[in-house]
Amino acid sequence: MSGVTGIWERLRQALTGGRRPPLDPARTDLVVVVSSFDDAESCSGALERGAATTPRWVESDEAVLRHHLELPADAVDRAVELAGQDGYVKGAPVHPPTNGRTGFVLQRVQILDAMHCAQEKSRMAGLAQRLGGTATGWDALQPHSAAD
């Protein structure tokens, strides 16, 4: 941390009791810091990889966790409704869908760790399967400056 940055960070912590404002998923400086589109890869393995590569996943910082789903068009609203109960919102598709399905993202802000990531990955796979679709993978975004 540079001298000026360190001073501002200490001042912010003193004024806010150490709390940071919640991460805004609409920020324009967010970058993918970790991703997994391989069902066989563990979340812990993906997060280890994300912590070791650039841009780097910062374990202690909030991230936008995005689950990529492909569903029949008539099931998308139901998926958004069900996931919304856990704080997820619909995001724009990132990858083109396959098999004539609708591709989209369900996302929420959270501190990301292997256990919670695995739970959410499993939850999204179950949701997609119940609605006739597939959870193709997940990724997480953090501000580029924090990820360096």
Side-chain angles (χ1 to χ4, degrees):
M1 194 176 318
S2 73
V4 173
T5 303
I7 292 169
W8 284 114
E9 180 63 16
R10 286 191 297 278
L11 180 60
R12 182 198 59 77
Q13 288 180 0
L15 294 173
T16 64
R19 293 180 312 273
R20 291 180 181 230
L23 181 62
D24 179 0
R27 286 178 59 162
T28 59
D29 64 337
L30 295 178
V31 294
V32 174
V33 293
V34 61
S35 65
S36 179
F37 290 86
D38 178 356
D39 283 341
E41 182 178 34
S42 69
C43 288
S44 60
L47 292 172
E48 285 177 18
R49 182 172 34 80
T53 57
T54 302
R56 189 174 64 86
W57 166 61
V58 180
E59 181 178 3
S60 60
D61 290 352
E62 287 184 321
V64 178
L65 176 60
R66 302 189 306 184
H67 298 277
H68 301 255
L69 287 84
E70 295 179 359
L71 296 177
D74 61 352
V76 172
D77 289 341
R78 181 69 176 145
V80 172
E81 176 187 350
L82 291 170
Q85 296 172 8
D86 292 316
Y88 283 95
V89 296
K90 184 179 177 187
V94 178
H95 301 285
T98 59
N99 302 325
R101 296 179 177 166
T102 299
F104 67 102
V105 169
L106 289 172
Q107 65 185 32
R108 76 175 181 189
V109 174
Q110 67 181 72
I111 296 288
L112 192 56
D113 62 48
M115 181 184 76
H116 291 103
C117 180
Q119 287 174 337
E120 295 306 310
K121 176 183 171 183
S122 177
R123 178 181 292 166
M124 291 298 161
L127 174 67
Q129 184 177 23
R130 282 191 313 274
L131 297 173
T134 305
T136 59
W138 62 273
D139 59 19
L141 295 85
Q142 289 181 318
H144 190 270
S145 57
D148 287 338

